[in-house]
Each structure stands twice: as structure tokens, then as C-alpha cells.
């Protein structure tokens, strides 16, 4: 474990079973060790790990998909821009994911928004204020994304 400003760069993941009240460790390791990344629940019991920083402190454009069905990771296309401290939301019942803001490798706080459509990332707009280390969530049945 290397500590990068206020964050531990890890390649491990744990799962908390709500009904059993227990932690499950020993899950498949992420192919890209990272910290300060965004995570979103994705279609078909999957998770996306998006961006972050690696062991050397490099800001990442990398996106990895975790399948809970077979406990495995696979790479997806990179975002168009490397982002750490990014907020990520997946639209329910689809392969559409939004990545909001973050910071780039020079430390610049970003206001851009990227959208993944299941095959590629594209910049689709900008937030009114650049943000990093923030959060995003869905409301209105997945029709509105709040960024805060």
C-alpha cells in the first residue's frame, strides 16, 4: 500500500452483505490499483471503477468493469480525459454512464461531463462549476442526476 495525498492506492475490494451483516474479502483484484476513483453500479450486477490515481500518483483515464457473477474484472474503453476525484453515475437498466468533473494530471479541477454509451466515452457538456472530490446521485426514476 502506498499512501498518495490522503488516499491509499489499492487493488483490493471488499463486499458487505447487508442481510448477513458480514464483510466478504478475497474478491478478484482490480487490474489497475487506484485511489480517488469513481464507482457506479452498472448493468447486470456489475460495477465500474473509473479514473483515479495509480501508485505513482498519475491520474488515470482507465475504466474497469467488475462482474459479481463470476468475480472477475475486464477493461473498458478509457475516458477521453484522465480524472481523479470524479463522480460517476450509471443510468438504471442501461449501459449509459456519466462521469462528472474531477481533476486532471496537472491538478486542474474539471467541469466537463463524459458519457459512456456502452462502446465509447464522449464529452457531452460542462457543469456550471468545476468540481472534484464530489458526489452524484440519481432521482426522479433515473431522469435527473444531482451533482454536489
Amino acid at each position: 500500500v502506498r499512501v498518495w495525498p490522503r488516499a491509499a492506492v489499492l487493488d483490493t475490494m471488499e463486499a458487505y452483505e447487508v442481510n448477513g451483516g458480514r464483510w466478504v474479502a478475497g474478491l478478484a483484484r482490480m487490474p489497475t490499483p487506484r485511489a480517488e476513483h469513481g464507482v457506479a453500479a452498472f448493468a447486470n450486477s456489475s460495477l465500474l471503477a473509473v479514473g483515479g490515481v495509480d501508485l505513482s500518483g498519475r491520474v488515470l483515464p482507465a475504466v474497469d468493469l467488475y462482474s459479481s457473477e463470476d468475480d472477475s474484472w475486464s477493461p473498458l474503453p478509457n475516458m477521453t480525459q484522465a480524472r481523479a476525484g470524479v463522480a460517476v453515475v450509471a443510468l438504471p437498466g442501461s449501459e449509459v454512464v456519466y462521469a462528472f468533473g474531477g481533476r486532471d494530471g496537472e491538478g486542474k479541477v474539471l467541469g466537463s461531463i463524459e458519457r459512456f454509451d456502452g462502446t465509447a466515452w464522449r464529452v457531452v457538456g460542462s457543469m456550471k462549476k468545476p468540481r472534484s472530490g464530489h458526489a452524484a446521485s440519481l432521482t426522479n426514476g433515473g431522469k435527473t442526476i444531482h451533482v454536489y
Side-chain angles (χ1 to χ4, degrees), residues 22-44:
R22 70 182 188 102
W23 285 97
V24 177
L27 299 170
R29 293 183 174 274
M30 287 189 286
T32 308
R34 59 181 89 203
E36 299 182 43
H37 53 290
V39 175
F42 195 56
N44 300 324

Side-chain angles (χ1 to χ4, degrees), residues 50-108:
V50 177
V53 295
D54 66 11
L55 288 167
S56 69
R58 183 175 61 101
V59 177
L60 302 168
V63 179
D64 293 310
L65 174 71
Y66 174 75
S67 169
S68 63
E69 292 177 0
D70 61 3
D71 186 34
S72 67
W73 288 92
S74 56
L76 288 180
N78 286 349
M79 292 181 291
T80 64
Q81 184 167 18
R83 299 169 185 268
V86 60
V88 183
V89 172
L91 298 186
S94 76
E95 292 187 344
V96 175
V97 179
Y98 287 88
F100 296 88
R103 65 176 167 76
D104 67 13
E106 303 300 316
K108 178 184 174 191

Side-chain angles (χ1 to χ4, degrees), residues 87-141:
V88 183
V89 172
L91 298 186
S94 76
E95 292 187 344
V96 175
V97 179
Y98 287 88
F100 296 88
R103 65 176 167 76
D104 67 13
E106 303 300 316
K108 178 184 174 191
V109 177
L110 304 171
S112 58
I113 303 165
E114 292 195 43
R115 180 181 189 267
F116 180 70
D117 63 8
T119 58
W121 290 90
R122 289 178 182 75
V123 175
V124 294
S126 294
M127 297 182 289
K128 293 193 180 281
K129 294 188 183 217
R131 299 171 189 260
S132 180
H134 54 298
S137 57
L138 285 170
T139 60
N140 298 326

